[in-house]
Amino acid sequence: MTSTTVDTPESSLSAEIALPWLARQSQHGKLCRRLYLTALADTPLAILQAGALALLAARLLGEGALLPPALALITLLAVRAGAAALRARFTAGVAADITCTVRNQLAAMLLRGRAARLSSGEASTTLLEQAEAVGRYHAGFALQRRVASLATLLFLIVAFATDWIVGLIFLLTAPLVPVFMTLVGTGAQQAADRQLESLRFLGGYFLDRLRGILTLRAFGREHAEQQAVAAASEEFRRRTMKVLRIAFLTSAVLELFAALSVALVALYVGLHLLNLMSFGPGQLLDFRTGLFLLLLAPEFYQPLRQLAAGYHERAAAQSAAEILAPLLQEQTGEQQASASALGSAPAICMDTVTFRYPDSEQPTIIHLDANLPAGHCLVIRGDSGTGKTTLLKLIAGLLLPDAGQIRHDDQLLRPLAAEPGRLAWAGQHPWFIHGTVADNLRQAAPEANDAALHQVLARCALSDLPLGLDTPLDENGGGLSGGQGRRLGLARALLSPASLLLLDEPTAELDPATEAHIIQTLREEKGQRTIVIATHSPACAALADQSLWLGEPPPESGGQPDA
């Protein structure tokens, strides 16, 4: 099976951008320092444990009190077990902190204007799998790399201080781990990239089939789609197993190297204890020192084995970073670039904007130009289906033009919606949360008191709600009529601190008196905010400082768009 992916800027991001972003995510782990200290504490505890066990064994065969080394050994075992438990706890905490932070950033990006870049399946995979890979990397491989470097140095110091031949064995065999990891690194990274690509494709493919299950049943395509999903799953399984094969192969080879190195130390110590070898300082070895070196050898390679076992985490995290970094870095950069403009009404400039939906043969908007000064009102008019709502989404940054540019003041409007508090949208079918009218209004202004809520309801002709602020709602506005739901969406937009209002048919289905009331409310907002309105209503169109016709202009306009 051949998988397909969406061609996005993330797919061409170089490691020069992805790797620095990945490294910076460690700052989100609240327990990183504690985790590092508990992980590093295992090295001196292992050395002391080997010394205590060697002393206890030597006294069992010779003379001397057994209680002190026995108590020391029991204490060291308990402390080491406690340190391992703390490390496991801190590892889970660091991974969870980093994963949660990345997921929160991704969720904000998806909800505020970048969802058009990713399919639903890709978005779910990004939130779940890729964010978790970043957390696992920093709590696992990245930390163990630092621990292994210092632990190796400490073990070498102790080994050379005890017997320089054993220290030399450690020094010559230790580089085998990073060398072998480097050799398999390219293959592991390529396998991880292919596995992640397959996962992203499978997530979107399966979700699309679930959404269209009724259509598939209507056309008798159930069996064919079951086979297609099975083939996609088999491809993902095959690529996952290839990643695991590389990971287990790496661990197996390194275990072999570690076992051979321990065997060399055992051979050296054993020959000297049997007086079969006189080379080096080994002739001065006694039973206690020899046993200490034998016990030290497997502990020396343990941090390196743990590093190798987590090498696949590095490959998975780098693959995820190439997807996540451009999404989150672009959002952060745009927020910083326009932070100084928050609170001021923006000017909107559209320069030869063209947009076509992927499933459409003809562009919805072609070479559109418009300039809206700050604080003015632009009214978009045209027949149904000419692209009024699409243009609002382009201005919001919810969609990106295929050609041309949309600017907010001097900054590209991509995505404007990712800037908290910058714009407010009141659509034709607003969505609400389960709760009361007050709960939904406070989504835009959490600190607003009841007096402010009553005031904005009055401005939107909603003072006659039967239960007032306590009126219950569901996601679709159940409990309100269609016109009341649309006006509540407008009230929520007006209550927000947004400097740009995007309104889609705000006066549709209203009687003349209520429409006039809403129009007067919007007129009061002019000058304080920039307003863009899509409407069919001539009365609402009278608010315009500028009008823009989409499609064919009406005959009474003389064939020309309104000025």
Side-chain angles (χ1 to χ4, degrees), residues 89-150:
R89 178 181 178 183
F90 292 152
T91 296
V94 169
D97 288 341
I98 296 175
T99 300
C100 184
T101 300
V102 175
R103 282 177 177 167
N104 287 338
Q105 294 173 352
L106 284 168
M109 175 272 298
L110 292 170
L111 291 172
R112 292 172 176 163
R114 293 296 299 278
R117 291 286 190 93
L118 300 174
S119 69
S120 298
E122 290 174 334
S124 63
T125 302
T126 302
L127 279 170
L128 297 176
E129 300 293 337
Q130 296 172 14
E132 187 175 2
V134 175
R136 288 198 307 265
Y137 165 76
H138 283 289
F141 182 85
L143 174 88
Q144 188 61 31
R145 182 169 52 192
R146 298 169 58 193
V147 170
S149 60
L150 289 178

Side-chain angles (χ1 to χ4, degrees), residues 288-424:
R288 173 185 169 186
T289 305
L291 182 59
F292 171 71
L293 291 173
L294 284 175
L295 294 172
L296 196 65
E299 298 289 354
F300 171 76
Y301 295 102
Q302 182 61 25
L304 298 175
R305 288 199 297 264
Q306 292 176 347
L307 182 67
Y311 187 75
H312 66 282
E313 294 175 350
R314 174 182 178 272
Q318 288 186 357
S319 298
E322 294 181 357
I323 305 298
L324 299 174
L327 293 174
L328 299 181
Q329 279 195 332
E330 182 177 344
Q331 178 192 17
T332 302
E334 288 167 355
Q335 289 177 355
Q336 293 175 348
S338 58
S340 60
L342 283 173
S344 61
I348 305 298
C349 174
M350 291 174 275
D351 183 15
T352 60
V353 172
T354 298
F355 178 80
R356 180 181 66 84
Y357 284 103
D359 56 352
S360 174
E361 295 182 359
Q362 298 296 327
T364 304
I365 295 173
I366 304 176
H367 302 310
L368 188 146
D369 293 287
N371 286 283
L372 181 65
H376 283 214
C377 177
L378 171 66
V379 172
I380 305 171
R381 304 180 69 185
D383 295 332
S384 297
T386 54
K388 298 188 298 297
T389 301
T390 297
L391 182 55
L392 287 179
K393 291 180 179 180
L394 287 166
I395 294 174
L398 300 175
L399 297 174
L400 298 179
D402 296 318
Q405 293 182 343
I406 301 179
R407 293 184 175 273
H408 160 261
D409 293 331
D410 293 328
Q411 300 295 328
L412 280 177
L413 204 69
R414 193 181 67 242
L416 183 61
E419 302 164 9
R422 173 54 59 86
L423 70 81

Side-chain angles (χ1 to χ4, degrees), residues 21-42:
W21 176 87
L22 181 61
R24 288 195 300 272
Q25 302 315 301
S26 62
Q27 64 186 340
H28 303 307
K30 299 178 182 178
L31 301 175
C32 273
R33 180 169 296 181
R34 295 181 185 180
L35 174 58
Y36 178 66
L37 292 177
T38 54
L40 192 59
D42 188 68

